[in-house]
Amino acid sequence: MFRRDGVLYRQVNGSYREHFEQLLATGLFAFLVAKGLIVDHEDVDLDLRHTDDAWRVIKPSPIPFVSYPYEWSFGQLRDAALLTLRIQREALDRGMTLKDASAYNVQFVGCQPVFIDTLSFETYREGRPWVAYRQFCQHFLAPLALMSRVDVRLGQLLKPYLDGIPLSLASRLLPWRTRLSFPLLTHMHLHARSQERYADKPVKGSSVSVGKLSLIGLLDSLRKAVEGMEWHPAGTEWADYYANTNYEPDAMRRKSEIVSEYLDRVDPATVWDLGANTGTFSRIASRRGAMTVAFDVDPAAVEKNYRDGTRDGERGLLPLVLDATNPSPGLGWENTERSSLDERGPADLVMALALVHHLAIGNNVPLERIAGYLARLGTWLVIEFVPKEDSQVQRLLASREDIFGGYDAAGFEAGFRPHFAVVDRQPIEGTCRTLYLMQALEPARRPT
Amino acid sequence: MTSELHVAMAVLAYIDPGSGSFILQVVVGTLLGASVALKMYWARLRAYFVSRGERNDGDADRGA
């Protein structure tokens, strides 16, 4: 995989030629593309090759925003798991198999999961086990089981464990009663025991035999295990947010009108909504054709947003779990295998509605530092200032000493002035809040 | 204590979880494969008797 002039290409080496030709000749690739399960590509000139052993160079259709499994809600990870299993099943029917089952091989276009690794397929040889079985269990089954059976926040374990959650760890964390579930007993607990038992006894995939029917049985069992895992967002603080805010319907309508007006004025192609909750305001952007990413810290809000998006077939809105006070960092070797949030930007426009008080008061970040970071994320900013008189800020201040002397409208504007020019400001009638449209003094640039 | 820790970590670095995954796949795969085969034969058996039943019904209809 390499980039030229900002365009992503993939090189198919001579050693992979046989498998790639089979992928095309069997009709598997065409079938998966037609069903929208895999990313399409176009062939480009071999002169664009990266190294001399290239046999072919392809240009995959671009993914609007690259996201990672530790940013997905439960439902997103579950759908990515089911997509991987479906593709492996379709491949097997056409004499091929997936050699990887990494969650990083799935991306989301809006709320639609799509497989991106066209070079993961290889010829299936009768009797060979599924080499990606362990990876599937670590990348999908272990986090899904922990999220549904222990706590949804355990999905965050995918951040330190980039090759999936070790099964020995998942097995220890899962409650004892999960041993009564046949799929979890086998694919998690016995799998972990077997790994421990044969840890120092090298076995090659080619020396064991697993019949095709057994593989089909294994895939069916994994699919049922994934389908059987459930998590329902309920009762958390944020998923019910709009039900217990101090926004009256009229004020909510007014806020929507101002946000719409600002979006029409800027006409952004990409929007990042930080603190999007269930995506009410993100949808104002996505309905205008902007590729919108709706970030929220609460997995329940993101799950609701994703389910609504799936129901509506949203292709321009991507809900993701992200803590704005601790955004995804660069991870992996040299911290560059997985990009940080700002490395995946900038967006044309960032929305930060009802967020600034959480950062400034809840997390004690100086206003100027908030402005500095937001200016790195996007060129335009729609931001809501929530003053101290607001009952939500009072709630934050109830449990901490008020050391935030400069936190008022004048202090807010002064803090943002080094990074942004205020283009417009409008009070939201019926509240004590103000909406701002700002433009960064220097256009945000993709970090190099 | 420290040296023990080093030895433990070195051993950990050479542990290959792949072997256990293959072995488990053989064992669990055989069980699951057998259940798939049973289901397939059962479906065929049912289909056979259902089609025989339909044929008989058809004969009966023609006879009437």
Side-chain angles (χ1 to χ4, degrees):
Chain A
M1 205 139 56
F2 58 96
R3 279 184 189 275
R4 270 191 214 287
D5 301 325
V7 181
L8 185 81
Y9 297 99
R10 289 200 80 174
Q11 171 171 313
V12 187
N13 290 340
S15 57
Y16 187 70
R17 178 177 178 165
E18 180 199 330
H19 304 292
F20 196 80
E21 282 181 334
Q22 192 184 352
L23 176 70
L24 302 180
T26 53
L28 175 60
F29 183 70
F31 172 82
L32 296 176
V33 169
K35 293 276 176 196
L37 304 178
I38 199 169
V39 73
D40 201 0
H41 65 248
E42 59 175 288
D43 283 301
V44 292
D45 203 327
L46 193 58
D47 288 345
L48 281 163
R49 68 181 175 269
H50 191 51
T51 55
D52 286 341
D53 48 353
W55 162 70
R56 201 167 178 154
V57 181
I58 57 172
K59 187 175 104 178
S61 306
I63 298 293
F65 181 87
V66 172
S67 62
Y68 301 123
Y70 45 82
E71 296 168 335
W72 298 343
S73 70
F74 177 83
Q76 286 171 301
L77 186 62
R78 190 172 177 269
D79 286 350
L82 291 173
L83 173 76
T84 306
L85 289 174
R86 172 150 187 221
I87 289 177
Q88 166 65 356
R89 192 68 182 77
E90 298 289 354
L92 216 51
D93 282 346
R94 291 164 181 82
M96 298 208 81
T97 182
L98 282 178
K99 59 181 175 176
D100 304 296
S102 163
Y104 295 89
N105 282 348
V106 179
Q107 283 298 326
F108 281 85
V109 176
C111 291
Q112 179 83 36
V114 61
F115 195 79
I116 57 160
D117 194 3
T118 315
L119 309 189
S120 273
F121 297 86
E122 63 181 13
T123 308
Y124 168 67
R125 297 193 200 290
E126 181 76 40
R128 289 283 172 89
W130 188 27
V131 288
Y133 171 59
R134 175 178 66 93
Q135 201 177 31
F136 183 85
C137 292
Q138 291 185 180
H139 279 236
F140 293 110
L141 212 56
L144 285 171
L146 289 169
M147 288 164 96
S148 73
R149 299 297 187 100
V150 186
D151 192 305
V152 75
R153 290 169 292 187
L154 286 175
Q156 287 301 308
L157 277 177
L158 287 168
K159 225 181 251 175
Y161 294 109
L162 281 189
D163 195 25
I165 300 171
L167 299 184
S168 54
L169 176 61
S171 177
R172 282 193 67 173
L173 292 175
L174 283 169
W176 196 91
R177 65 175 186 279
T178 55
R179 285 169 173 78
L180 303 176
S181 141
F182 181 76
L184 290 183
L185 173 71
T186 49
H187 303 304
M188 286 286 104
H189 297 293
L190 293 179
H191 197 167
R193 283 280 293 277
S194 177
Q195 286 185 341
E196 196 185 338
R197 184 155 175 205
Y198 293 96
D200 52 355
K201 301 176 185 69
V203 175
K204 279 195 178 147
S206 53
S207 62
V208 293
S209 181
V210 178
K212 192 170 178 182
L213 218 51
S214 298
L215 271 195
I216 291 171
L218 191 80
L219 291 174
D220 279 353
S221 166
L222 288 170
R223 181 180 49 80
K224 282 182 198 150
V226 173
E227 283 173 347
M229 283 191 225
E230 288 185 344
W231 177 70
H232 296 292
T236 64
E237 180 188 3
W238 294 101
D240 303 324
Y241 181 70
Y242 290 123
N244 53 31
T245 61
N246 43 5
Y247 265 110
E248 295 296 328
D250 278 350
M252 195 76 168
R253 199 174 311 121
R254 184 67 197 125
K255 184 171 165 180
S256 301
E257 282 168 7
I258 304 171
V259 170
S260 305
E261 189 190 316
Y262 287 165
L263 285 165
D264 286 338
R265 213 155 140 177
V266 178
D267 193 22
T270 52
V271 170
W272 288 2
D273 187 0
L274 300 177
N277 199 271
T278 54
T280 303
F281 294 96
S282 318
R283 278 175 176 75
I284 299 179
S286 65
R287 282 188 189 136
R288 280 169 166 69
M291 207 298 293
T292 307
V293 191
F295 299 100
D296 203 275
V297 66
D298 177 34
V302 178
E303 181 72 22
K304 276 194 172 178
N305 197 355
Y306 176 67
R307 287 186 191 185
D308 290 349
T310 308
R311 185 197 58 213
D312 302 340
E314 281 274 9
R315 289 187 68 86
L317 177 76
L318 170 61
L320 291 177
V321 179
L322 183 112
D323 181 355
T325 66
N326 181 21
S328 303
L331 290 174
W333 176 248
E334 290 189 349
N335 293 122
T336 55
E337 280 183 73
R338 310 290 165 223
S339 304
S340 66
L341 175 68
D342 60 325
E343 282 166 344
R344 286 174 275 167
D348 290 342
L349 183 143
V350 171
M351 294 207 286
L353 307 175
L355 179 74
V356 72
H357 54 304
H358 291 288
L359 304 179
I361 292 177
N363 208 52
N364 205 6
V365 184
L367 287 162
E368 194 188 328
R369 297 283 295 273
I370 298 173
Y373 184 59
L374 293 176
R376 267 162 58 197
L377 299 186
T379 301
W380 289 87
L381 176 65
V382 175
I383 188 164
E384 180 179 12
F385 179 68
V386 187
K388 271 190 196 167
E389 306 88 86
D390 190 280
S391 63
Q392 299 289 25
V393 181
Q394 286 301 318
R395 273 176 66 186
L396 286 176
L397 285 170
S399 58
R400 36 174 83 72
E401 193 187 342
D402 185 358
I403 51 164
F404 310 98
Y407 188 84
D408 53 25
F412 170 73
E413 289 189 23
F416 273 65
R417 202 168 294 130
H419 302 281
F420 286 98
V422 174
V423 178
D424 191 54
R425 69 170 77 69
Q426 294 192 43
I428 306 169
E429 288 137 36
T431 74
C432 49
R433 303 175 172 201
T434 310
L435 268 177
Y436 288 82
L437 175 65
M438 300 192 188
Q439 186 176 14
L441 299 179
E442 282 183 42
R445 285 196 182 86
R446 177 178 279 269
T448 49
Chain B
M1 179 74 184
T2 315
S3 63
E4 272 174 27
L5 195 70
H6 277 300
V7 172
M9 286 177 75
V11 169
L12 204 65
Y14 283 97
I15 281 178
D16 177 15
S19 304
S21 293
F22 286 139
I23 300 288
L24 184 88
Q25 211 178 133
V26 174
V27 178
V28 174
T30 307
L31 270 173
L32 294 169
S35 103
V36 172
L38 270 175
K39 275 183 207 155
M40 271 170 54
Y41 289 129
W42 176 245
R44 276 186 206 164
L45 208 65
R46 259 185 68 148
Y48 172 74
F49 281 111
V50 168
S51 68
R52 252 181 76 130
E54 276 171 1
R55 226 179 13 246
N56 288 343
D57 286 351
D59 291 345
D61 287 348
R62 271 196 300 277

